[in-house]
Amino acid sequence: MTKISEAMYLGRLPDVRLSFQLLGLHARKADSNWTYPSHEHSMYEIHWMLDGQMNMVVNGQLYSQSAGDLLFIRPGMTHSCTGAGPQGFSYFSVHFSVHDISFCRELNRCRDIYYPADSKLALGLSSSLCTLYDLATEHLSTPLSSSKQMMVHAAVFELLGSLVGHLSQNASVTLSRKEAIAHQIAEHIEDSVRYIHLHGEIRESERTWIQDIAKSLNISPSQINRIFRQVYGTSPRKFLSDTLLNEAQRLLKQTDLNIDHIAMMLAYKTNAHFSRQFKRWTGITPSEFRSHSQQAPAADHPDHIESFSTKILSNNNT
């Protein structure tokens, strides 16, 4: 009789399942009379001064920026800018959106907007911002090679990691018991998606799935739903659907697998079932989504002169 060897975890990191879009990464040199009108957008913006002086008004508050100063502008904030010195100025701007509830929560913990050049956050982001600036200016003259594109990806992950790390320190907020439980629930959900992705099947019904999480955390299913909704603003089931949708979109965008194969990988019995569900989620079919994603992405922000754009969706299930 064959004996099955035993194994144990020596350590584990959570699955990397972060979806975000980087748009309008650009540098600009402007004269002293240059202005940009009041506007807002659905993305986060890092606005980093390279030299000179400028004034930025954010939600009615005036911020004066000099070389090295940084503004972190969140979605929906109204802002406008004007030159503030006689010699003109240069700046570097990064616009990005994040499709991850817990990540956005960390970005929004600290509500500060202005970070002077000698602040920990501005200093902490300067290395990755310099790398992205160099790649953006290089891209103006010559399209980036595949290896340079990967350098963009690496610099962006470094930038976001540093940003969240410094914002969390500034916020000085520890997780409440309710937030800790919600994070555990999210981790269970991600484990379920990981199982689906690896095995192409669903282990249990939705009801059993919720009950299993409740049992492991020693709380009731109703508490599971209530706590998760209070912390994340959505139900566990919706969080699962969004996670599956992100995975479906990644497979449609970044692979040439046929839609039947993708449906099978996500545990749908038929292509038709997957297509109906995908259309309920997005309003379009998987084939329409794939066709649209192959076209050049339209800019979501009006200020895209001298821009370098890329999309990143990372998923690591090893």
Side-chain angles (χ1 to χ4, degrees), residues 90-123:
S90 301
Y91 69 86
F92 183 55
S93 183
V94 178
H95 296 85
F96 65 93
S97 59
V98 179
H99 310 290
D100 182 279
I101 295 172
S102 58
F103 199 90
C104 288
R105 187 175 182 85
E106 292 302 316
L107 289 177
N108 294 328
R109 275 187 179 278
C110 181
R111 301 303 296 175
D112 291 340
I113 295 172
Y114 171 70
Y115 297 89
D118 60 355
S119 65
K120 288 184 179 179
L121 187 137
L123 293 172

PDB file of all heavy atoms in Angstrom, residues 90-123:
ATOM      1  N   SER A  90       7.666  72.500 -14.430  1.00  0.00           N
ATOM      2  CA  SER A  90       7.520  71.155 -15.003  1.00  0.00           C
ATOM      3  C   SER A  90       6.942  70.239 -13.946  1.00  0.00           C
ATOM      4  O   SER A  90       7.240  70.375 -12.755  1.00  0.00           O
ATOM      5  CB  SER A  90       8.871  70.604 -15.469  1.00  0.00           C
ATOM      6  OG  SER A  90       9.458  71.435 -16.438  1.00  0.00           O
ATOM      7  N   TYR A  91       6.117  69.299 -14.393  1.00  0.00           N
ATOM      8  CA  TYR A  91       5.553  68.346 -13.448  1.00  0.00           C
ATOM      9  C   TYR A  91       5.421  66.985 -14.103  1.00  0.00           C
ATOM     10  O   TYR A  91       5.471  66.849 -15.337  1.00  0.00           O
ATOM     11  CB  TYR A  91       4.192  68.818 -12.921  1.00  0.00           C
ATOM     12  CG  TYR A  91       3.074  68.809 -13.943  1.00  0.00           C
ATOM     13  CD1 TYR A  91       2.311  67.664 -14.184  1.00  0.00           C
ATOM     14  CD2 TYR A  91       2.757  69.960 -14.659  1.00  0.00           C
ATOM     15  CE1 TYR A  91       1.290  67.653 -15.111  1.00  0.00           C
ATOM     16  CE2 TYR A  91       1.736  69.964 -15.585  1.00  0.00           C
ATOM     17  CZ  TYR A  91       1.003  68.804 -15.818  1.00  0.00           C
ATOM     18  OH  TYR A  91      -0.009  68.805 -16.753  1.00  0.00           O
ATOM     19  N   PHE A  92       5.236  65.981 -13.269  1.00  0.00           N
ATOM     20  CA  PHE A  92       5.021  64.607 -13.718  1.00  0.00           C
ATOM     21  C   PHE A  92       3.757  64.104 -13.040  1.00  0.00           C
ATOM     22  O   PHE A  92       3.591  64.265 -11.826  1.00  0.00           O
ATOM     23  CB  PHE A  92       6.219  63.736 -13.337  1.00  0.00           C
ATOM     24  CG  PHE A  92       6.122  62.311 -13.817  1.00  0.00           C
ATOM     25  CD1 PHE A  92       5.925  62.016 -15.147  1.00  0.00           C
ATOM     26  CD2 PHE A  92       6.253  61.262 -12.923  1.00  0.00           C
ATOM     27  CE1 PHE A  92       5.850  60.710 -15.590  1.00  0.00           C
ATOM     28  CE2 PHE A  92       6.183  59.948 -13.351  1.00  0.00           C
ATOM     29  CZ  PHE A  92       5.983  59.674 -14.700  1.00  0.00           C
ATOM     30  N   SER A  93       2.858  63.517 -13.819  1.00  0.00           N
ATOM     31  CA  SER A  93       1.555  63.129 -13.291  1.00  0.00           C
ATOM     32  C   SER A  93       1.246  61.677 -13.626  1.00  0.00           C
ATOM     33  O   SER A  93       1.521  61.214 -14.736  1.00  0.00           O
ATOM     34  CB  SER A  93       0.472  64.042 -13.895  1.00  0.00           C
ATOM     35  OG  SER A  93      -0.794  63.742 -13.359  1.00  0.00           O
ATOM     36  N   VAL A  94       0.711  60.963 -12.643  1.00  0.00           N
ATOM     37  CA  VAL A  94       0.318  59.559 -12.811  1.00  0.00           C
ATOM     38  C   VAL A  94      -1.153  59.428 -12.433  1.00  0.00           C
ATOM     39  O   VAL A  94      -1.541  59.780 -11.317  1.00  0.00           O
ATOM     40  CB  VAL A  94       1.154  58.628 -11.911  1.00  0.00           C
ATOM     41  CG1 VAL A  94       0.698  57.179 -12.071  1.00  0.00           C
ATOM     42  CG2 VAL A  94       2.637  58.764 -12.223  1.00  0.00           C
ATOM     43  N   HIS A  95      -1.979  58.959 -13.364  1.00  0.00           N
ATOM     44  CA  HIS A  95      -3.392  58.701 -13.095  1.00  0.00           C
ATOM     45  C   HIS A  95      -3.621  57.193 -13.097  1.00  0.00           C
ATOM     46  O   HIS A  95      -3.173  56.495 -14.003  1.00  0.00           O
ATOM     47  CB  HIS A  95      -4.282  59.330 -14.179  1.00  0.00           C
ATOM     48  CG  HIS A  95      -4.207  60.821 -14.237  1.00  0.00           C
ATOM     49  ND1 HIS A  95      -3.233  61.484 -14.951  1.00  0.00           N
ATOM     50  CD2 HIS A  95      -4.988  61.775 -13.675  1.00  0.00           C
ATOM     51  CE1 HIS A  95      -3.411  62.787 -14.822  1.00  0.00           C
ATOM     52  NE2 HIS A  95      -4.470  62.992 -14.061  1.00  0.00           N
ATOM     53  N   PHE A  96      -4.319  56.684 -12.083  1.00  0.00           N
ATOM     54  CA  PHE A  96      -4.586  55.244 -12.052  1.00  0.00           C
ATOM     55  C   PHE A  96      -5.910  54.971 -11.347  1.00  0.00           C
ATOM     56  O   PHE A  96      -6.363  55.756 -10.505  1.00  0.00           O
ATOM     57  CB  PHE A  96      -3.443  54.491 -11.345  1.00  0.00           C
ATOM     58  CG  PHE A  96      -3.284  54.809  -9.881  1.00  0.00           C
ATOM     59  CD1 PHE A  96      -3.917  54.028  -8.908  1.00  0.00           C
ATOM     60  CD2 PHE A  96      -2.506  55.879  -9.470  1.00  0.00           C
ATOM     61  CE1 PHE A  96      -3.771  54.318  -7.558  1.00  0.00           C
ATOM     62  CE2 PHE A  96      -2.351  56.169  -8.124  1.00  0.00           C
ATOM     63  CZ  PHE A  96      -2.987  55.390  -7.168  1.00  0.00           C
ATOM     64  N   SER A  97      -6.529  53.886 -11.722  1.00  0.00           N
ATOM     65  CA  SER A  97      -7.734  53.409 -11.037  1.00  0.00           C
ATOM     66  C   SER A  97      -7.463  52.005 -10.527  1.00  0.00           C
ATOM     67  O   SER A  97      -6.704  51.249 -11.132  1.00  0.00           O
ATOM     68  CB  SER A  97      -8.950  53.420 -11.974  1.00  0.00           C
ATOM     69  OG  SER A  97      -8.717  52.611 -13.107  1.00  0.00           O
ATOM     70  N   VAL A  98      -8.071  51.669  -9.397  1.00  0.00           N
ATOM     71  CA  VAL A  98      -7.864  50.366  -8.759  1.00  0.00           C
ATOM     72  C   VAL A  98      -9.213  49.687  -8.580  1.00  0.00           C
ATOM     73  O   VAL A  98     -10.155  50.306  -8.086  1.00  0.00           O
ATOM     74  CB  VAL A  98      -7.172  50.512  -7.385  1.00  0.00           C
ATOM     75  CG1 VAL A  98      -6.991  49.165  -6.725  1.00  0.00           C
ATOM     76  CG2 VAL A  98      -5.836  51.212  -7.529  1.00  0.00           C
ATOM     77  N   HIS A  99      -9.305  48.442  -9.007  1.00  0.00           N
ATOM     78  CA  HIS A  99     -10.543  47.691  -8.892  1.00  0.00           C
ATOM     79  C   HIS A  99     -10.380  46.635  -7.800  1.00  0.00           C
ATOM     80  O   HIS A  99     -10.431  45.433  -8.045  1.00  0.00           O
ATOM     81  CB  HIS A  99     -10.903  47.051 -10.231  1.00  0.00           C
ATOM     82  CG  HIS A  99     -10.857  48.009 -11.375  1.00  0.00           C
ATOM     83  ND1 HIS A  99     -11.770  49.020 -11.537  1.00  0.00           N
ATOM     84  CD2 HIS A  99      -9.987  48.136 -12.396  1.00  0.00           C
ATOM     85  CE1 HIS A  99     -11.482  49.719 -12.614  1.00  0.00           C
ATOM     86  NE2 HIS A  99     -10.381  49.194 -13.147  1.00  0.00           N
ATOM     87  N   ASP A 100     -10.164  47.090  -6.595  1.00  0.00           N
ATOM     88  CA  ASP A 100      -9.952  46.202  -5.467  1.00  0.00           C
ATOM     89  C   ASP A 100     -10.425  46.924  -4.217  1.00  0.00           C
ATOM     90  O   ASP A 100      -9.883  47.969  -3.852  1.00  0.00           O
ATOM     91  CB  ASP A 100      -8.475  45.825  -5.362  1.00  0.00           C
ATOM     92  CG  ASP A 100      -8.211  44.850  -4.228  1.00  0.00           C
ATOM     93  OD1 ASP A 100      -8.119  45.320  -3.085  1.00  0.00           O
ATOM     94  OD2 ASP A 100      -8.100  43.646  -4.491  1.00  0.00           O
ATOM     95  N   ILE A 101     -11.428  46.374  -3.548  1.00  0.00           N
ATOM     96  CA  ILE A 101     -12.080  47.069  -2.434  1.00  0.00           C
ATOM     97  C   ILE A 101     -11.112  47.341  -1.298  1.00  0.00           C
ATOM     98  O   ILE A 101     -11.011  48.463  -0.791  1.00  0.00           O
ATOM     99  CB  ILE A 101     -13.279  46.251  -1.924  1.00  0.00           C
ATOM    100  CG1 ILE A 101     -14.353  46.165  -3.008  1.00  0.00           C
ATOM    101  CG2 ILE A 101     -13.873  46.892  -0.671  1.00  0.00           C
ATOM    102  CD1 ILE A 101     -15.491  45.230  -2.673  1.00  0.00           C
ATOM    103  N   SER A 102     -10.369  46.321  -0.866  1.00  0.00           N
ATOM    104  CA  SER A 102      -9.496  46.491   0.290  1.00  0.00           C
ATOM    105  C   SER A 102      -8.347  47.442  -0.018  1.00  0.00           C
ATOM    106  O   SER A 102      -7.924  48.233   0.834  1.00  0.00           O
ATOM    107  CB  SER A 102      -8.954  45.130   0.758  1.00  0.00           C
ATOM    108  OG  SER A 102      -8.261  44.485  -0.283  1.00  0.00           O
ATOM    109  N   PHE A 103      -7.843  47.406  -1.259  1.00  0.00           N
ATOM    110  CA  PHE A 103      -6.759  48.300  -1.643  1.00  0.00           C
ATOM    111  C   PHE A 103      -7.230  49.753  -1.645  1.00  0.00           C
ATOM    112  O   PHE A 103      -6.539  50.652  -1.139  1.00  0.00           O
ATOM    113  CB  PHE A 103      -6.233  47.909  -3.023  1.00  0.00           C
ATOM    114  CG  PHE A 103      -4.867  48.444  -3.337  1.00  0.00           C
ATOM    115  CD1 PHE A 103      -3.731  47.711  -3.025  1.00  0.00           C
ATOM    116  CD2 PHE A 103      -4.711  49.677  -3.941  1.00  0.00           C
ATOM    117  CE1 PHE A 103      -2.466  48.202  -3.308  1.00  0.00           C
ATOM    118  CE2 PHE A 103      -3.446  50.176  -4.223  1.00  0.00           C
ATOM    119  CZ  PHE A 103      -2.324  49.434  -3.911  1.00  0.00           C
ATOM    120  N   CYS A 104      -8.410  49.992  -2.207  1.00  0.00           N
ATOM    121  CA  CYS A 104      -8.971  51.348  -2.210  1.00  0.00           C
ATOM    122  C   CYS A 104      -9.195  51.846  -0.787  1.00  0.00           C
ATOM    123  O   CYS A 104      -9.002  53.031  -0.489  1.00  0.00           O
ATOM    124  CB  CYS A 104     -10.289  51.379  -2.983  1.00  0.00           C
ATOM    125  SG  CYS A 104     -10.100  51.230  -4.767  1.00  0.00           S
ATOM    126  N   ARG A 105      -9.612  50.944   0.088  1.00  0.00           N
ATOM    127  CA  ARG A 105      -9.834  51.327   1.478  1.00  0.00           C
ATOM    128  C   ARG A 105      -8.547  51.839   2.110  1.00  0.00           C
ATOM    129  O   ARG A 105      -8.543  52.832   2.844  1.00  0.00           O
ATOM    130  CB  ARG A 105     -10.381  50.126   2.255  1.00  0.00           C
ATOM    131  CG  ARG A 105     -10.822  50.455   3.684  1.00  0.00           C
ATOM    132  CD  ARG A 105     -11.464  49.251   4.335  1.00  0.00           C
ATOM    133  NE  ARG A 105     -11.917  49.568   5.668  1.00  0.00           N
ATOM    134  CZ  ARG A 105     -13.091  50.125   5.948  1.00  0.00           C
ATOM    135  NH1 ARG A 105     -13.906  50.435   4.963  1.00  0.00           N
ATOM    136  NH2 ARG A 105     -13.442  50.394   7.192  1.00  0.00           N
ATOM    137  N   GLU A 106      -7.427  51.184   1.814  1.00  0.00           N
ATOM    138  CA  GLU A 106      -6.142  51.638   2.338  1.00  0.00           C
ATOM    139  C   GLU A 106      -5.755  52.994   1.743  1.00  0.00           C
ATOM    140  O   GLU A 106      -5.231  53.862   2.441  1.00  0.00           O
ATOM    141  CB  GLU A 106      -5.057  50.601   2.049  1.00  0.00           C
ATOM    142  CG  GLU A 106      -5.213  49.292   2.812  1.00  0.00           C
ATOM    143  CD  GLU A 106      -5.220  49.504   4.318  1.00  0.00           C
ATOM    144  OE1 GLU A 106      -4.379  50.288   4.807  1.00  0.00           O
ATOM    145  OE2 GLU A 106      -6.061  48.912   5.001  1.00  0.00           O
ATOM    146  N   LEU A 107      -5.996  53.177   0.446  1.00  0.00           N
ATOM    147  CA  LEU A 107      -5.662  54.447  -0.199  1.00  0.00           C
ATOM    148  C   LEU A 107      -6.458  55.610   0.388  1.00  0.00           C
ATOM    149  O   LEU A 107      -6.000  56.752   0.385  1.00  0.00           O
ATOM    150  CB  LEU A 107      -5.925  54.365  -1.707  1.00  0.00           C
ATOM    151  CG  LEU A 107      -4.987  53.493  -2.533  1.00  0.00           C
ATOM    152  CD1 LEU A 107      -5.431  53.466  -3.983  1.00  0.00           C
ATOM    153  CD2 LEU A 107      -3.549  53.990  -2.442  1.00  0.00           C
ATOM    154  N   ASN A 108      -7.658  55.314   0.892  1.00  0.00           N
ATOM    155  CA  ASN A 108      -8.543  56.377   1.381  1.00  0.00           C
ATOM    156  C   ASN A 108      -8.490  56.557   2.901  1.00  0.00           C
ATOM    157  O   ASN A 108      -9.208  57.401   3.439  1.00  0.00           O
ATOM    158  CB  ASN A 108      -9.978  56.087   0.949  1.00  0.00           C
ATOM    159  CG  ASN A 108     -10.145  56.165  -0.558  1.00  0.00           C
ATOM    160  OD1 ASN A 108      -9.477  56.944  -1.215  1.00  0.00           O
ATOM    161  ND2 ASN A 108     -11.030  55.342  -1.109  1.00  0.00           N
ATOM    162  N   ARG A 109      -7.652  55.768   3.592  1.00  0.00           N
ATOM    163  CA  ARG A 109      -7.588  55.878   5.046  1.00  0.00           C
ATOM    164  C   ARG A 109      -7.115  57.271   5.473  1.00  0.00           C
ATOM    165  O   ARG A 109      -7.657  57.868   6.388  1.00  0.00           O
ATOM    166  CB  ARG A 109      -6.630  54.835   5.619  1.00  0.00           C
ATOM    167  CG  ARG A 109      -7.270  53.488   5.843  1.00  0.00           C
ATOM    168  CD  ARG A 109      -6.292  52.574   6.563  1.00  0.00           C
ATOM    169  NE  ARG A 109      -6.895  51.274   6.804  1.00  0.00           N
ATOM    170  CZ  ARG A 109      -7.701  50.996   7.808  1.00  0.00           C
ATOM    171  NH1 ARG A 109      -8.013  51.941   8.665  1.00  0.00           N
ATOM    172  NH2 ARG A 109      -8.215  49.791   7.954  1.00  0.00           N
ATOM    173  N   CYS A 110      -6.069  57.751   4.840  1.00  0.00           N
ATOM    174  CA  CYS A 110      -5.515  59.062   5.177  1.00  0.00           C
ATOM    175  C   CYS A 110      -6.011  60.068   4.150  1.00  0.00           C
ATOM    176  O   CYS A 110      -5.868  59.850   2.950  1.00  0.00           O
ATOM    177  CB  CYS A 110      -3.990  59.007   5.179  1.00  0.00           C
ATOM    178  SG  CYS A 110      -3.218  60.579   5.605  1.00  0.00           S
ATOM    179  N   ARG A 111      -6.585  61.174   4.612  1.00  0.00           N
ATOM    180  CA  ARG A 111      -7.207  62.136   3.696  1.00  0.00           C
ATOM    181  C   ARG A 111      -6.290  63.308   3.343  1.00  0.00           C
ATOM    182  O   ARG A 111      -6.710  64.256   2.689  1.00  0.00           O
ATOM    183  CB  ARG A 111      -8.505  62.670   4.317  1.00  0.00           C
ATOM    184  CG  ARG A 111      -9.528  61.603   4.635  1.00  0.00           C
ATOM    185  CD  ARG A 111      -9.914  60.779   3.423  1.00  0.00           C
ATOM    186  NE  ARG A 111     -10.578  61.566   2.399  1.00  0.00           N
ATOM    187  CZ  ARG A 111     -10.930  61.091   1.209  1.00  0.00           C
ATOM    188  NH1 ARG A 111     -10.658  59.836   0.901  1.00  0.00           N
ATOM    189  NH2 ARG A 111     -11.548  61.867   0.335  1.00  0.00           N
ATOM    190  N   ASP A 112      -5.027  63.272   3.761  1.00  0.00           N
ATOM    191  CA  ASP A 112      -4.109  64.347   3.398  1.00  0.00           C
ATOM    192  C   ASP A 112      -3.913  64.389   1.887  1.00  0.00           C
ATOM    193  O   ASP A 112      -3.927  63.349   1.216  1.00  0.00           O
ATOM    194  CB  ASP A 112      -2.756  64.146   4.080  1.00  0.00           C
ATOM    195  CG  ASP A 112      -2.828  64.340   5.587  1.00  0.00           C
ATOM    196  OD1 ASP A 112      -3.796  64.983   6.043  1.00  0.00           O
ATOM    197  OD2 ASP A 112      -1.943  63.836   6.300  1.00  0.00           O
ATOM    198  N   ILE A 113      -3.718  65.578   1.358  1.00  0.00           N
ATOM    199  CA  ILE A 113      -3.546  65.780  -0.080  1.00  0.00           C
ATOM    200  C   ILE A 113      -2.118  66.230  -0.411  1.00  0.00           C
ATOM    201  O   ILE A 113      -1.507  65.730  -1.343  1.00  0.00           O
ATOM    202  CB  ILE A 113      -4.567  66.817  -0.609  1.00  0.00           C
ATOM    203  CG1 ILE A 113      -5.996  66.276  -0.458  1.00  0.00           C
ATOM    204  CG2 ILE A 113      -4.269  67.192  -2.064  1.00  0.00           C
ATOM    205  CD1 ILE A 113      -7.068  67.293  -0.764  1.00  0.00           C
ATOM    206  N   TYR A 114      -1.583  67.155   0.383  1.00  0.00           N
ATOM    207  CA  TYR A 114      -0.295  67.778   0.080  1.00  0.00           C
ATOM    208  C   TYR A 114       0.829  67.129   0.890  1.00  0.00           C
ATOM    209  O   TYR A 114       0.729  66.954   2.103  1.00  0.00           O
ATOM    210  CB  TYR A 114      -0.367  69.266   0.402  1.00  0.00           C
ATOM    211  CG  TYR A 114       0.967  69.985   0.325  1.00  0.00           C
ATOM    212  CD1 TYR A 114       1.582  70.198  -0.902  1.00  0.00           C
ATOM    213  CD2 TYR A 114       1.594  70.437   1.486  1.00  0.00           C
ATOM    214  CE1 TYR A 114       2.799  70.850  -0.977  1.00  0.00           C
ATOM    215  CE2 TYR A 114       2.813  71.096   1.427  1.00  0.00           C
ATOM    216  CZ  TYR A 114       3.410  71.296   0.190  1.00  0.00           C
ATOM    217  OH  TYR A 114       4.609  71.938   0.120  1.00  0.00           O
ATOM    218  N   TYR A 115       1.928  66.780   0.188  1.00  0.00           N
ATOM    219  CA  TYR A 115       3.107  66.204   0.824  1.00  0.00           C
ATOM    220  C   TYR A 115       4.345  66.947   0.319  1.00  0.00           C
ATOM    221  O   TYR A 115       4.690  66.845  -0.869  1.00  0.00           O
ATOM    222  CB  TYR A 115       3.223  64.711   0.502  1.00  0.00           C
ATOM    223  CG  TYR A 115       2.065  63.900   1.036  1.00  0.00           C
ATOM    224  CD1 TYR A 115       0.913  63.713   0.267  1.00  0.00           C
ATOM    225  CD2 TYR A 115       2.108  63.346   2.310  1.00  0.00           C
ATOM    226  CE1 TYR A 115      -0.164  62.994   0.767  1.00  0.00           C
ATOM    227  CE2 TYR A 115       1.040  62.618   2.806  1.00  0.00           C
ATOM    228  CZ  TYR A 115      -0.096  62.449   2.033  1.00  0.00           C
ATOM    229  OH  TYR A 115      -1.165  61.742   2.518  1.00  0.00           O
ATOM    230  N   PRO A 116       4.998  67.737   1.177  1.00  0.00           N
ATOM    231  CA  PRO A 116       6.171  68.506   0.741  1.00  0.00           C
ATOM    232  C   PRO A 116       7.334  67.595   0.355  1.00  0.00           C
ATOM    233  O   PRO A 116       7.353  66.410   0.674  1.00  0.00           O
ATOM    234  CB  PRO A 116       6.504  69.361   1.969  1.00  0.00           C
ATOM    235  CG  PRO A 116       5.915  68.621   3.128  1.00  0.00           C
ATOM    236  CD  PRO A 116       4.681  67.954   2.606  1.00  0.00           C
ATOM    237  N   ALA A 117       8.309  68.171  -0.328  1.00  0.00           N
ATOM    238  CA  ALA A 117       9.430  67.396  -0.876  1.00  0.00           C
ATOM    239  C   ALA A 117      10.185  66.609   0.175  1.00  0.00           C
ATOM    240  O   ALA A 117      10.724  65.535  -0.113  1.00  0.00           O
ATOM    241  CB  ALA A 117      10.372  68.340  -1.623  1.00  0.00           C
ATOM    242  N   ASP A 118      10.248  67.135   1.414  1.00  0.00           N
ATOM    243  CA  ASP A 118      11.000  66.446   2.461  1.00  0.00           C
ATOM    244  C   ASP A 118      10.141  65.498   3.297  1.00  0.00           C
ATOM    245  O   ASP A 118      10.611  64.948   4.297  1.00  0.00           O
ATOM    246  CB  ASP A 118      11.693  67.458   3.378  1.00  0.00           C
ATOM    247  CG  ASP A 118      10.712  68.402   4.065  1.00  0.00           C
ATOM    248  OD1 ASP A 118       9.497  68.330   3.762  1.00  0.00           O
ATOM    249  OD2 ASP A 118      11.156  69.221   4.892  1.00  0.00           O
ATOM    250  N   SER A 119       8.883  65.281   2.907  1.00  0.00           N
ATOM    251  CA  SER A 119       8.016  64.362   3.644  1.00  0.00           C
ATOM    252  C   SER A 119       8.415  62.922   3.351  1.00  0.00           C
ATOM    253  O   SER A 119       9.025  62.615   2.314  1.00  0.00           O
ATOM    254  CB  SER A 119       6.551  64.577   3.262  1.00  0.00           C
ATOM    255  OG  SER A 119       6.326  64.234   1.902  1.00  0.00           O
ATOM    256  N   LYS A 120       8.069  62.013   4.252  1.00  0.00           N
ATOM    257  CA  LYS A 120       8.406  60.605   4.064  1.00  0.00           C
ATOM    258  C   LYS A 120       7.750  60.031   2.811  1.00  0.00           C
ATOM    259  O   LYS A 120       8.358  59.234   2.088  1.00  0.00           O
ATOM    260  CB  LYS A 120       7.979  59.796   5.295  1.00  0.00           C
ATOM    261  CG  LYS A 120       8.831  60.043   6.525  1.00  0.00           C
ATOM    262  CD  LYS A 120       8.405  59.140   7.676  1.00  0.00           C
ATOM    263  CE  LYS A 120       9.274  59.353   8.905  1.00  0.00           C
ATOM    264  NZ  LYS A 120       8.865  58.490  10.041  1.00  0.00           N
ATOM    265  N   LEU A 121       6.510  60.450   2.528  1.00  0.00           N
ATOM    266  CA  LEU A 121       5.822  59.894   1.363  1.00  0.00           C
ATOM    267  C   LEU A 121       6.472  60.360   0.070  1.00  0.00           C
ATOM    268  O   LEU A 121       6.730  59.556  -0.838  1.00  0.00           O
ATOM    269  CB  LEU A 121       4.342  60.275   1.385  1.00  0.00           C
ATOM    270  CG  LEU A 121       3.494  59.592   0.291  1.00  0.00           C
ATOM    271  CD1 LEU A 121       2.169  59.112   0.836  1.00  0.00           C
ATOM    272  CD2 LEU A 121       3.260  60.534  -0.878  1.00  0.00           C
ATOM    273  N   ALA A 122       6.743  61.677  -0.052  1.00  0.00           N
ATOM    274  CA  ALA A 122       7.365  62.197  -1.276  1.00  0.00           C
ATOM    275  C   ALA A 122       8.735  61.565  -1.492  1.00  0.00           C
ATOM    276  O   ALA A 122       9.088  61.172  -2.620  1.00  0.00           O
ATOM    277  CB  ALA A 122       7.466  63.715  -1.206  1.00  0.00           C
ATOM    278  N   LEU A 123       9.521  61.440  -0.431  1.00  0.00           N
ATOM    279  CA  LEU A 123      10.838  60.819  -0.548  1.00  0.00           C
ATOM    280  C   LEU A 123      10.717  59.328  -0.876  1.00  0.00           C
ATOM    281  O   LEU A 123      11.492  58.787  -1.662  1.00  0.00           O
ATOM    282  CB  LEU A 123      11.626  61.011   0.755  1.00  0.00           C
ATOM    283  CG  LEU A 123      12.038  62.449   1.094  1.00  0.00           C
ATOM    284  CD1 LEU A 123      12.635  62.512   2.500  1.00  0.00           C
ATOM    285  CD2 LEU A 123      13.028  62.981   0.068  1.00  0.00           C
TER     286      LEU A 123
END
